[in-house]
Amino acid sequence: MTANLLDFDLEGLAVFCEGMGEKRFRATQLFRWIHQRGMSNFDDMSDLAKSLREKLKVHAHVAPLPILSQQISKDGTIKWLFDVGAGDAVETVFIPEDDRGTLCVSSQAGCAVGCRFCSTGHQGFSRNLSTAEILAQLWFAEHFLRKHLHQTDRVISNVVMMGMGEPLQNYSALIPALQVMLDDHGYGLSRRRVTVSTSGVVPMIDRLAQDCPVALAVSLHAPSDALRDPLVPLNRKYPIDELLQACQRYLAHAPRDFITFEYCMLDGVNDQPEHARELIALVQRHARDGLRCKFNLIPFNPFPASGLLRSPPSRVQSFAKMLLDAGIVTTVRKTRGDDIDAACGQLAGDVKDRTRVQERIAQRRASPVIPIAPVSP
Ligand code: SF4
């Protein structure tokens, strides 16, 4: 079995090259061909010695993930469904904005955390993705988008590990993937532009601070343990005070001087004035110990199994105003890709029905053409 080179950060690739009897610097050339130029065919890597290309053909490959579908929203959001084998699939979403292009990347097939408001959580956990499977999402999206948009420069300026899965429960695959995103010979993204979003795996937040301190977002969703326990079951293991103390410690290493707290607005559950008051008191208490944060209020995207509803926009605005009036930086997330179920918390809508995934795999095998389902404006 040959090695998938998407599995390596630059150091890993250097070790691989040495293992083939090559000089370490060859790894940099190879790495740039793969990640900066999107090449997978060794014969096209013209400045590599022919002898190296021959060795690579024997010992290595660059394997993209098979695409099951691609949907383009009327707002320009693009969602891909990738086949990761054994009936599992993961979703990746590109969100274009005026000043940035953000890719939302999955880290696991399914998720074991089981947050009540999350479609992926309801699907259950299947397995961790490998580094190659995490990076293949970025590798494909970046080079597809350059062609699609007729651009030679970088299209994806930001990566958020906010797709399917809890990235900090797939730590050993995550770290090399982050290193490739940050590497100047890879995607060259600054640490501020790569965000790991976690439901609150406290020990791994501390490890991330040491190993690869990128921007951190935390799915908070509630001001108290009593309310957060049923919404984010991991809270029973790592309660809010412990989590916020870890966030505070992270700030000493973080590329930004604040932590982003995600707060999904659920009608009648966590969106009342008393919840805002409790949240303000919580933040103020931890601010005294040095915690700096901003809030991102997310309109919930309902799905039947959740039994939850979206807060009315007026209530989201009142909640935001209470936080802002208390001096807490707060934004309300714009819903993107609603028409293709690409909005936050909706991923896995297609994945949880494995029969449909199997049907799509069969369709793709029957036709090498990627099915494209644009939504007309
Ligand atoms: S919100 Fe994140 S951690 Fe919670 S179930 Fe969904 S994917 Fe998992």
Side-chain angles (χ1 to χ4, degrees):
M1 189 152 139
T2 67
N4 184 356
L5 300 188
L6 292 177
D7 248 327
F8 297 128
D9 60 11
L10 186 52
E11 176 57 25
L13 196 57
V15 171
F16 179 77
C17 284
E18 282 178 327
M20 289 192 304
E22 295 287 334
K23 296 267 188 283
R24 286 174 71 87
F25 77 88
R26 294 287 179 209
T28 306
Q29 287 175 296
L30 184 52
F31 198 73
R32 291 168 68 99
W33 275 111
I34 295 168
H35 294 291
Q36 295 191 343
R37 304 184 66 173
M39 295 290 178
S40 57
N41 184 347
F42 300 125
D43 281 330
D44 293 336
M45 301 181 183
S46 51
D47 65 355
L48 297 185
K50 188 154 189 309
S51 58
L52 172 56
R53 282 186 264 151
E54 293 306 318
K55 281 187 206 170
L56 286 168
K57 281 194 262 181
V58 174
H59 297 293
H61 63 285
V62 179
L65 288 173
I67 301 166
L68 295 171
S69 69
Q70 171 178 273
Q71 291 172 283
I72 304 178
S73 160
K74 60 188 175 192
D75 67 15
T77 300
I78 305 179
K79 182 175 81 168
W80 294 279
L81 183 67
F82 291 106
D83 176 10
V84 292
D88 286 317
V90 297
E91 290 176 321
T92 308
V93 179
F94 173 67
I95 305 140
E97 290 174 274
D98 291 344
D99 59 343
R100 71 183 74 182
T102 302
L103 192 72
C104 181
V105 171
S106 293
S107 56
Q108 298 179 312
C111 182
V113 177
C115 299
R116 192 175 154 205
F117 51 85
C118 171
S119 186
T120 307
H122 279 255
Q123 178 197 343
F125 177 66
S126 201
R127 69 172 176 86
N128 281 330
L129 298 188
S130 65
T131 298
E133 288 167 329
I134 295 171
L135 277 174
Q137 299 168 64
L138 173 59
W139 182 76
F140 168 80
E142 173 64 37
H143 297 290
F144 167 84
L145 288 165
R146 283 189 204 178
K147 284 195 198 98
H148 181 68
L149 301 172
H150 308 290
Q151 238 177 272
T152 46
D153 293 343
R154 182 166 72 189
V155 177
I156 294 167
S157 61
N158 295 61
V159 172
V160 290
M161 297 301 306
M162 278 185 197
M164 297 166 64
E166 165 52 69
L168 294 186
Q169 287 186 339
N170 185 13
Y171 195 77
S172 60
L174 174 72
I175 294 298
L178 295 178
Q179 302 290 11
V180 175
M181 293 173 197
L182 302 179
D183 199 306
D184 283 342
H185 299 294
Y187 297 88
L189 299 173
S190 80
R191 291 194 293 129
R192 298 162 64 88
R193 289 177 177 270
V194 175
T195 301
V196 167
S197 175
T198 179
S199 56
V201 192
V202 165
M204 305 318 278
I205 292 175
D206 287 325
R207 278 190 65 184
L208 188 68
Q210 298 303 322
D211 296 338
C212 194
V214 293
L216 185 70
V218 171
S219 299
L220 193 61
H221 310 305
S224 66
D225 290 327
L227 192 51
R228 194 168 187 261
D229 278 353
L231 292 176
V232 183
L234 195 68
N235 194 69
R236 296 192 188 104
K237 195 165 182 190
Y238 305 114
I240 290 179
D241 272 338
E242 236 181 87
L243 173 59
L244 297 199
Q245 283 161 18
C247 291
Q248 210 173 295
R249 291 193 294 275
Y250 194 85
L251 279 173
H253 308 266
R256 295 176 182 270
D257 59 0
F258 60 85
I259 304 292
T260 303
F261 290 127
E262 312 284 354
Y263 196 100
C264 186
M265 298 293 290
L266 305 166
D267 184 23
V269 175
N270 63 356
D271 63 349
Q272 301 297 306
E274 63 264 29
H275 298 130
R277 282 192 285 275
E278 239 184 309
L279 202 53
I280 292 164
L282 178 76
V283 168
Q284 288 175 341
R285 183 155 51 84
H286 283 270
R288 286 196 283 276
D289 296 326
L291 179 64
R292 292 176 304 283
C293 64
K294 65 171 252 194
F295 272 80
N296 196 6
L297 305 184
I298 304 168
F300 174 57
N301 293 295
F303 57 98
S306 70
L308 298 164
L309 296 171
R310 177 184 289 196
S311 303
S314 60
R315 200 169 314 138
V316 177
Q317 291 307 329
S318 318
F319 198 93
K321 184 170 182 320
M322 286 181 74
L323 266 56
L324 284 163
D325 288 347
I328 300 171
V329 178
T330 305
T331 53
V332 177
R333 183 179 293 173
K334 270 194 285 175
T335 303
R336 302 291 306 264
D338 238 354
D339 51 352
I340 56 168
D341 287 351
C344 198
Q346 282 183 328
L347 301 188
D350 283 343
V351 181
K352 66 186 170 213
D353 184 342
R354 283 169 177 252
T355 319
R356 284 174 65 192
V357 172
Q358 296 290 9
E359 277 167 12
R360 292 212 194 173
I361 292 170
Q363 275 169 12
R364 180 177 51 75
R365 288 193 180 133
S367 160
V369 179
I370 300 165
I372 300 198
V375 177
S376 47

